[in-house]
mmCIF file of all heavy atoms in Angstrom:
data_model
loop_
_atom_site.group_PDB
_atom_site.id
_atom_site.type_symbol
_atom_site.label_atom_id
_atom_site.label_comp_id
_atom_site.label_asym_id
_atom_site.label_seq_id
_atom_site.Cartn_x
_atom_site.Cartn_y
_atom_site.Cartn_z
ATOM 1 N N ASN A 1 277.710 191.408 211.767
ATOM 2 C CA ASN A 1 278.574 190.603 210.919
ATOM 3 C C ASN A 1 279.728 191.497 210.477
ATOM 4 O O ASN A 1 279.895 192.586 211.019
ATOM 5 C CB ASN A 1 277.804 189.972 209.744
ATOM 6 C CG ASN A 1 277.136 190.982 208.851
ATOM 7 O OD1 ASN A 1 277.587 192.117 208.714
ATOM 8 N ND2 ASN A 1 276.041 190.586 208.220
ATOM 9 N N THR A 2 280.506 191.077 209.509
ATOM 10 C CA THR A 2 281.686 191.859 209.136
ATOM 11 C C THR A 2 281.340 193.151 208.406
ATOM 12 O O THR A 2 282.221 193.976 208.194
ATOM 13 C CB THR A 2 282.649 191.027 208.268
ATOM 14 O OG1 THR A 2 281.961 190.623 207.082
ATOM 15 C CG2 THR A 2 283.173 189.818 209.027
ATOM 16 N N ALA A 3 280.077 193.344 208.051
ATOM 17 C CA ALA A 3 279.680 194.546 207.306
ATOM 18 C C ALA A 3 278.710 195.449 208.063
ATOM 19 O O ALA A 3 278.687 196.650 207.822
ATOM 20 C CB ALA A 3 279.059 194.158 205.967
ATOM 21 N N SER A 4 277.892 194.878 208.957
ATOM 22 C CA SER A 4 276.831 195.698 209.546
ATOM 23 C C SER A 4 276.455 195.267 210.957
ATOM 24 O O SER A 4 276.765 194.165 211.392
ATOM 25 C CB SER A 4 275.583 195.657 208.657
ATOM 26 O OG SER A 4 275.017 194.366 208.671
ATOM 27 N N VAL A 5 275.757 196.173 211.612
ATOM 28 C CA VAL A 5 275.162 195.918 212.920
ATOM 29 C C VAL A 5 273.653 195.903 212.708
ATOM 30 O O VAL A 5 273.077 196.909 212.302
ATOM 31 C CB VAL A 5 275.552 197.000 213.955
ATOM 32 C CG1 VAL A 5 274.803 196.799 215.265
ATOM 33 C CG2 VAL A 5 277.055 197.012 214.178
ATOM 34 N N ALA A 6 273.045 194.768 212.972
ATOM 35 C CA ALA A 6 271.593 194.660 212.797
ATOM 36 C C ALA A 6 270.848 195.089 214.061
ATOM 37 O O ALA A 6 269.781 195.690 213.978
ATOM 38 C CB ALA A 6 271.208 193.224 212.437
ATOM 39 N N GLN A 7 271.407 194.746 215.213
ATOM 40 C CA GLN A 7 270.762 195.078 216.482
ATOM 41 C C GLN A 7 271.826 195.395 217.512
ATOM 42 O O GLN A 7 272.818 194.658 217.634
ATOM 43 C CB GLN A 7 269.921 193.895 216.996
ATOM 44 C CG GLN A 7 268.837 193.417 216.064
ATOM 45 C CD GLN A 7 267.731 194.432 215.868
ATOM 46 O OE1 GLN A 7 267.414 195.211 216.761
ATOM 47 N NE2 GLN A 7 267.132 194.419 214.687
ATOM 48 N N LEU A 8 271.635 196.461 218.252
ATOM 49 C CA LEU A 8 272.463 196.796 219.404
ATOM 50 C C LEU A 8 271.529 197.419 220.427
ATOM 51 O O LEU A 8 270.979 198.511 220.204
ATOM 52 C CB LEU A 8 273.589 197.772 219.037
ATOM 53 C CG LEU A 8 274.459 198.259 220.192
ATOM 54 C CD1 LEU A 8 275.103 197.097 220.942
ATOM 55 C CD2 LEU A 8 275.523 199.216 219.695
ATOM 56 N N HIS A 9 271.313 196.696 221.505
ATOM 57 C CA HIS A 9 270.392 197.167 222.544
ATOM 58 C C HIS A 9 271.007 196.920 223.911
ATOM 59 O O HIS A 9 271.673 195.904 224.121
ATOM 60 C CB HIS A 9 269.042 196.437 222.462
ATOM 61 C CG HIS A 9 268.291 196.728 221.214
ATOM 62 N ND1 HIS A 9 267.532 197.863 221.067
ATOM 63 C CD2 HIS A 9 268.201 196.060 220.039
ATOM 64 C CE1 HIS A 9 266.990 197.868 219.852
ATOM 65 N NE2 HIS A 9 267.398 196.789 219.218
ATOM 66 N N VAL A 10 270.728 197.824 224.834
ATOM 67 C CA VAL A 10 271.150 197.696 226.221
ATOM 68 C C VAL A 10 269.916 197.845 227.087
ATOM 69 O O VAL A 10 269.048 198.688 226.808
ATOM 70 C CB VAL A 10 272.211 198.765 226.579
ATOM 71 C CG1 VAL A 10 272.531 198.749 228.070
ATOM 72 C CG2 VAL A 10 273.476 198.556 225.758
ATOM 73 N N ARG A 11 269.844 197.023 228.120
ATOM 74 C CA ARG A 11 268.717 197.096 229.048
ATOM 75 C C ARG A 11 268.598 198.536 229.555
ATOM 76 O O ARG A 11 269.590 199.164 229.922
ATOM 77 C CB ARG A 11 268.945 196.119 230.206
ATOM 78 C CG ARG A 11 267.770 195.967 231.126
ATOM 79 C CD ARG A 11 267.964 194.823 232.086
ATOM 80 N NE ARG A 11 269.071 195.095 233.006
ATOM 81 C CZ ARG A 11 269.420 194.292 234.004
ATOM 82 N NH1 ARG A 11 268.771 193.150 234.203
ATOM 83 N NH2 ARG A 11 270.428 194.619 234.792
ATOM 84 N N VAL A 12 267.393 199.061 229.552
ATOM 85 C CA VAL A 12 267.152 200.477 229.832
ATOM 86 C C VAL A 12 267.793 200.921 231.153
ATOM 87 O O VAL A 12 268.450 201.959 231.209
ATOM 88 C CB VAL A 12 265.641 200.796 229.809
ATOM 89 C CG1 VAL A 12 265.372 202.230 230.235
ATOM 90 C CG2 VAL A 12 265.063 200.529 228.413
ATOM 91 N N CYS A 13 267.658 200.143 232.197
ATOM 92 C CA CYS A 13 268.214 200.561 233.491
ATOM 93 C C CYS A 13 269.737 200.490 233.515
ATOM 94 O O CYS A 13 270.360 200.950 234.481
ATOM 95 C CB CYS A 13 267.615 199.750 234.635
ATOM 96 S SG CYS A 13 268.015 197.999 234.596
ATOM 97 N N ASP A 14 270.356 199.972 232.444
ATOM 98 C CA ASP A 14 271.819 199.876 232.374
ATOM 99 C C ASP A 14 272.422 200.832 231.352
ATOM 100 O O ASP A 14 273.615 200.731 231.041
ATOM 101 C CB ASP A 14 272.233 198.439 232.060
ATOM 102 C CG ASP A 14 271.945 197.511 233.217
ATOM 103 O OD1 ASP A 14 272.522 197.719 234.294
ATOM 104 O OD2 ASP A 14 271.119 196.587 233.053
ATOM 105 N N HIS A 15 271.630 201.757 230.819
ATOM 106 C CA HIS A 15 272.180 202.752 229.896
ATOM 107 C C HIS A 15 273.244 203.574 230.609
ATOM 108 O O HIS A 15 273.156 203.829 231.802
ATOM 109 C CB HIS A 15 271.076 203.693 229.386
ATOM 110 C CG HIS A 15 270.193 203.079 228.358
ATOM 111 N ND1 HIS A 15 269.184 203.769 227.753
ATOM 112 C CD2 HIS A 15 270.170 201.845 227.814
ATOM 113 C CE1 HIS A 15 268.560 202.990 226.884
ATOM 114 N NE2 HIS A 15 269.148 201.805 226.913
ATOM 115 N N GLY A 16 274.232 204.021 229.839
ATOM 116 C CA GLY A 16 275.251 204.918 230.360
ATOM 117 C C GLY A 16 276.333 204.243 231.180
ATOM 118 O O GLY A 16 277.123 204.926 231.834
ATOM 119 N N GLN A 17 276.417 202.916 231.135
ATOM 120 C CA GLN A 17 277.410 202.196 231.929
ATOM 121 C C GLN A 17 278.529 201.594 231.082
ATOM 122 O O GLN A 17 279.338 200.829 231.594
ATOM 123 C CB GLN A 17 276.728 201.112 232.753
ATOM 124 C CG GLN A 17 275.754 201.684 233.750
ATOM 125 C CD GLN A 17 275.094 200.617 234.600
ATOM 126 O OE1 GLN A 17 275.611 199.519 234.766
ATOM 127 N NE2 GLN A 17 273.936 200.934 235.137
ATOM 128 N N GLY A 18 278.568 201.900 229.784
ATOM 129 C CA GLY A 18 279.636 201.394 228.925
ATOM 130 C C GLY A 18 279.351 200.077 228.242
ATOM 131 O O GLY A 18 280.188 199.577 227.493
ATOM 132 N N ILE A 19 278.195 199.504 228.468
ATOM 133 C CA ILE A 19 277.873 198.205 227.884
ATOM 134 C C ILE A 19 277.707 198.315 226.371
ATOM 135 O O ILE A 19 278.254 197.511 225.614
ATOM 136 C CB ILE A 19 276.606 197.613 228.544
ATOM 137 C CG1 ILE A 19 276.885 197.366 230.032
ATOM 138 C CG2 ILE A 19 276.167 196.329 227.845
ATOM 139 C CD1 ILE A 19 275.650 197.122 230.869
ATOM 140 N N GLY A 20 276.976 199.322 225.914
ATOM 141 C CA GLY A 20 276.805 199.522 224.474
ATOM 142 C C GLY A 20 278.132 199.809 223.796
ATOM 143 O O GLY A 20 278.398 199.304 222.693
ATOM 144 N N THR A 21 278.986 200.576 224.448
ATOM 145 C CA THR A 21 280.306 200.864 223.895
ATOM 146 C C THR A 21 281.105 199.581 223.742
ATOM 147 O O THR A 21 281.736 199.346 222.705
ATOM 148 C CB THR A 21 281.059 201.867 224.791
ATOM 149 O OG1 THR A 21 280.343 203.104 224.772
ATOM 150 C CG2 THR A 21 282.483 202.090 224.324
ATOM 151 N N ARG A 22 281.090 198.742 224.763
ATOM 152 C CA ARG A 22 281.816 197.464 224.706
ATOM 153 C C ARG A 22 281.313 196.615 223.542
ATOM 154 O O ARG A 22 282.109 196.052 222.782
ATOM 155 C CB ARG A 22 281.654 196.726 226.030
ATOM 156 C CG ARG A 22 282.181 195.326 226.034
ATOM 157 C CD ARG A 22 283.687 195.287 225.961
ATOM 158 N NE ARG A 22 284.125 193.909 225.985
ATOM 159 C CZ ARG A 22 285.188 193.465 225.364
ATOM 160 N NH1 ARG A 22 285.948 194.282 224.697
ATOM 161 N NH2 ARG A 22 285.507 192.208 225.430
ATOM 162 N N LEU A 23 280.015 196.522 223.393
ATOM 163 C CA LEU A 23 279.454 195.709 222.307
ATOM 164 C C LEU A 23 279.793 196.304 220.943
ATOM 165 O O LEU A 23 280.181 195.583 220.018
ATOM 166 C CB LEU A 23 277.944 195.563 222.498
ATOM 167 C CG LEU A 23 277.516 194.751 223.724
ATOM 168 C CD1 LEU A 23 276.005 194.837 223.914
ATOM 169 C CD2 LEU A 23 277.974 193.309 223.627
ATOM 170 N N LEU A 24 279.652 197.615 220.806
ATOM 171 C CA LEU A 24 279.956 198.253 219.528
ATOM 172 C C LEU A 24 281.425 198.060 219.160
ATOM 173 O O LEU A 24 281.760 197.821 217.998
ATOM 174 C CB LEU A 24 279.596 199.730 219.556
ATOM 175 C CG LEU A 24 279.759 200.475 218.232
ATOM 176 C CD1 LEU A 24 278.895 199.855 217.131
ATOM 177 C CD2 LEU A 24 279.434 201.940 218.405
#
């Protein structure tokens, strides 16, 4: 929401591909 991140997860086999960065 506008104040916090409650959950941010990326499928394990997709770590290191920029997906978490895009979401964050």
Side-chain angles (χ1 to χ4, degrees):
N1 59 29
T2 60
S4 68
V5 174
Q7 302 293 329
L8 176 57
H9 295 278
V10 173
R11 188 170 66 176
V12 174
C13 65
D14 291 298
H15 284 182
Q17 297 181 23
I19 297 165
T21 296
R22 172 70 179 148
L23 293 172
L24 185 59

